[in-house]
């Protein structure tokens, strides 16, 4: 029996278990395989099936600036076997297009994965699918701040609109008065990027539930029910009330979610916003600012659409953590950077040094997933998407690099 005449269901089942780069080669085997692998239903199903396979292999997408001098950012995929007694970690570095591979191009945050697509915030802002080697720099927004104001800080959100099959980036920008150099506390402007149109547009300021403040970007991509989220606060009756600000990628609307009193003081306890229940809802990790032995309180919003459903679900620890959380996986798996700025994994009361470093609080990590979702859209001239490759990380076991710390 030829490849062309194998049962479609059998071929689909087998191909769904292969890495994305292998499937790119399989497209050349015969016409029926090409049609199957490029079929939108197969592309969607592949993401669920392949990334749900039971495997002893773990993978992370990591960005970091490894050197004291310069802003050059390494984008790498870390891999390791959970049963390896030697705890070996391998790393492949994404080799970006030439024009983006310099000290003047850098990235500070990872948002994703969203169907295997990642948004890197920095200079420039980038969408990428590392498993296909696709890299797309977003055009700059040419919108100006409202009259008499300027912008100093912005916070990004990223997600997918299933109704229009579009990936979107929303950016909140603070407002400063030019005349006095004072910030308009609690007030923001918002802009939205669409991959389908490859353009930005202003969002109506009345959509934002102002005034509201943002604590800062979460180190963990918190995306649930087609909504991205930021942790913020409002001032009510001379008291600070924690809230979550959500943006719905489908409705293109904001929502303010009230949070119970989960900590006594922001000076005494950190809080990290995280996704829960396979992205069906959101939660918080709350842990002490001081000390190296910390207990984590885990709060969950049981019903995403009911802000009265917050509960303290469980506690983890004490855990030997002396710096900030940069990742979270479901129940009791944490990623953090230690005092030497190394990336460390905590999993079921065991820790693993992942053997990568980042200077100046630059290390960020996200779960790596395989995906066939392409960034190519419509007119390829205006939607230019570059190809890039993964090469062995020259720094992972470089003794000179290690001793420089």
């Amino acid at each position: 029996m030829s490849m062309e005449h194998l049962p479609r269901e059998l071929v689909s089942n087998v191909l769904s278990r292969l890495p994305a780069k292998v499937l790119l080669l399989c497209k050349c085997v015969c016409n029926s395989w090409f049609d199957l692998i490029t079929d939108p239903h197969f592309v969607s199903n592949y993401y669920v099936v392949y990334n749900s396979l039971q495997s002893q292999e773990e993978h992370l997408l990591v960005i970091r600036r490894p050197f004291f001098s310069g802003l050059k950012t390494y984008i790498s995929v870390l891999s390791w076997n959970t049963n390896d007694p030697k705890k070996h970690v391998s790393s492949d570095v994404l080799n970006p297009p030439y024009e983006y591979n310099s000290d003047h191009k850098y990235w500070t945050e990872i948002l994703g994965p969203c169907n295997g697509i990642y948004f890197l915030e920095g200079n420039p802002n980038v969408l990428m699918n590392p498993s296909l080697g696709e890299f797309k720099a977003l055009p700059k927004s040419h919108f100006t701040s409202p009259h008499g104001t300027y912008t100093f800080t912005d916070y990004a959100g990223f997600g997918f609109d299933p109704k229009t099959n579009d990936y979107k980036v929303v950016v909140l920008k603070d407002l400063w008065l030019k005349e006095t150099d004072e910030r308009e506390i609690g007030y923001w402007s918002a802009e939205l990027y669409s991959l389908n149109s490859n353009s930005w547009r202003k969002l109506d300021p009345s959509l934002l539930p102002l005034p509201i403040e943002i604590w800062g970007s979460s180190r963990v991509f918190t995306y649930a029910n087609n909504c991205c989220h930021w942790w913020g606060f409002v001032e009510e009756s001379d008291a600070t009330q924690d809230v979550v600000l959500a943006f719905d990628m489908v409705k293109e609307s904001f929502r303010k979610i009230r949070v119970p009193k989960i900590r006594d003081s922001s000076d005494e306890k950190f809080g990290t916003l995280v996704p829960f229940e396979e992205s069906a809802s959101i939660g918080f990790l709350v842990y002490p600012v001081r000390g190296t032995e910390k207990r984590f309180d885990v709060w969950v919003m049981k019903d995403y659409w009911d802000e009265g459903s917050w509960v303290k679900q469980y506690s983890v620890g004490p855990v030997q953590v002396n710096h900030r959380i940069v990742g979270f996986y479901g129940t009791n798996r944490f990623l953090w950077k230690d005092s030497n700025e190394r990336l460390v994994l905590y999993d079921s009361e065991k820790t693993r040094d992942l053997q990568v470093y980042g200077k100046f609080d630059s290390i960020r990590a996200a779960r790596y997933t395989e995906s066939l979702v392409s960034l190519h859209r419509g007119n390829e001239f205006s939607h230019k998407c570059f190809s890039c490759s993964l090469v062995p990380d020259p720094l992972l076991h470089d003794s000179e690099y290690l001793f420089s710390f």
Side-chain angles (χ1 to χ4, degrees), residues 159-220:
F160 177 63
D161 179 352
K163 286 192 174 181
T164 58
N165 190 35
D166 196 7
Y167 291 87
K168 300 176 180 179
V169 177
V170 60
V171 176
L172 303 178
K173 297 186 175 184
D174 64 0
L175 299 175
W176 291 71
L177 300 175
K178 290 182 178 179
E179 187 175 342
T180 61
D181 267 346
E182 293 178 340
R183 184 164 168 256
E184 286 199 279
I185 296 175
Y187 290 85
W188 307 78
S189 63
E191 298 174 11
L192 186 69
Y193 168 82
S194 159
L195 176 63
N196 285 352
S197 67
N198 193 38
S199 63
W200 293 88
R201 58 188 170 87
K202 278 273 192 183
L203 293 177
D204 187 340
S206 66
L207 295 174
L208 279 158
L210 303 174
I212 188 171
E213 281 297 281
I214 307 297
W215 283 115
S217 296
S218 175
R219 303 294 173 86
V220 181

Side-chain angles (χ1 to χ4, degrees), residues 47 50 107 114 164 170 189 223 294 303 392:
Y47 183 75
Y50 185 88
W107 297 280
C114 187
T164 58
V170 60
S189 63
Y223 189 70
K294 304 179 189 290
D303 178 355

Side-chain angles (χ1 to χ4, degrees), residues 40 127 151 159 188 196 226 257 260 297:
L127 288 175
T151 291
W188 307 78
N196 285 352
N226 300 318
I257 303 170
D297 293 333

Side-chain angles (χ1 to χ4, degrees), residues 14-28 37 42 46 372:
V14 172
L15 294 184
S16 294
R17 300 169 186 274
L18 300 177
K21 286 188 176 179
V22 175
L23 291 183
L24 294 182
L25 300 175
C26 290
K27 288 165 62 176
C28 303
I37 294 169
F42 179 83
Y46 171 79
L372 292 173

